[in-house]
Amino acid sequence: MPPPEHAEVRHGLPEGSGSPELHFAQFFEATYSKAMAYLVASTRLPPHAAEEVAADTYLALYHRWREAGAPAKPIAYLYTALRHAAMKRHAHQQRERPTSLADFPDIYDARQRHQLDQVETSQALLEMLSRLPARQRQLMSLRYLMDLPTDRIAELTGLTRSAVRAHLSNARHTLQQIWHEREAETG
């Protein structure tokens, strides 16, 4: 099933006439949730930090949009800006990660076990994704979190469709190996 396209955005630009502010507002509404999913999945930023990066990036894009007009490829421009802002944040901040929620007995009880398992599974998946090369991690995020077809991913990244498919196949294979190793360790 092909991914849903945003009706109000065609080739990354809002349709219809109106002010740059209106066009930007439509662009923001059409892209924000997928941009957040991309940031969290592909940059290893915690959700609160991803929100800050997204806010700063959209603000800078808004100023550019008002002063110089919309970029030729606003979606590609947005994701490039998000990636650069996230890398800049990583360079200036080191995060401290808790080892496990089970280390905090005051919040750990039998009623929360299912939620804890889901969180730990999510953490495990994020850790597995973080072991992929950056290009594969980026393509997996675009394909499976943002639900983009390989043609669109190829257009955004400048790769050929066959290169995108090869990277995705290699990434799936690597994740399978990591999952099996993890299962053997915990088994």
Side-chain angles (χ1 to χ4, degrees):
M1 181 168 96
E5 288 293 324
H6 299 289
E8 65 274 11
V9 176
R10 187 169 177 220
H11 304 325
L13 288 172
E15 290 185 6
S17 62
S19 68
E21 290 84 4
L22 176 61
H23 282 214
F24 184 81
Q26 292 170 338
F27 176 78
F28 175 83
E29 287 181 28
T31 59
Y32 182 77
S33 61
K34 288 186 178 184
M36 281 298 301
Y38 167 79
L39 272 175
V40 171
S42 68
T43 64
R44 295 181 258 164
L45 286 173
H48 71 278
E51 286 176 8
E52 291 174 10
V53 167
D56 292 343
T57 303
Y58 273 103
L59 182 61
L61 181 57
Y62 172 75
H63 288 297
R64 189 245 189 250
W65 200 291
R66 282 189 62 205
E67 293 172 13
K73 294 182 179 181
I75 293 176
Y77 186 95
L78 170 66
Y79 285 102
T80 300
L82 288 169
R83 188 175 59 252
H84 286 253
M87 288 187 306
K88 188 174 183 179
R89 182 170 179 114
H90 275 298
H92 291 93
Q93 174 187 355
Q94 289 187 355
R95 296 184 323 274
E96 183 178 314
R97 297 181 185 183
T99 55
S100 170
L101 291 177
D103 293 339
F104 305 100
D106 56 324
I107 63 166
Y108 181 77
D109 64 12
R111 294 175 306 187
Q112 295 173 333
R113 182 64 193 162
H114 180 69
Q115 291 174 339
L116 179 63
D117 287 343
Q118 287 179 330
V119 168
E120 289 179 344
T121 300
S122 295
Q123 287 175 338
L125 288 171
L126 287 174
E127 185 247 315
M128 289 169 49
L129 283 171
S130 72
R131 292 174 57 186
L132 291 174
R135 174 64 75 179
Q136 289 180 2
R137 190 171 54 247
Q138 175 194 30
L139 296 176
M140 292 291 282
S141 299
L142 291 170
R143 179 69 183 109
Y144 295 106
L145 291 175
M146 297 184 62
D147 229 7
L148 294 178
T150 54
D151 293 346
R152 183 73 175 124
I153 295 170
E155 180 183 325
L156 286 172
T157 59
L159 298 171
T160 63
R161 289 188 309 250
S162 60
V164 170
R165 286 191 296 270
H167 280 295
L168 289 170
S169 176
N170 291 339
R172 287 189 299 267
H173 180 73
T174 302
L175 287 174
Q176 233 177 5
Q177 287 177 330
I178 294 169
W179 182 264
H180 290 304
E181 289 170 9
R182 187 177 174 80
E183 288 293 312
E185 290 173 4
T186 60

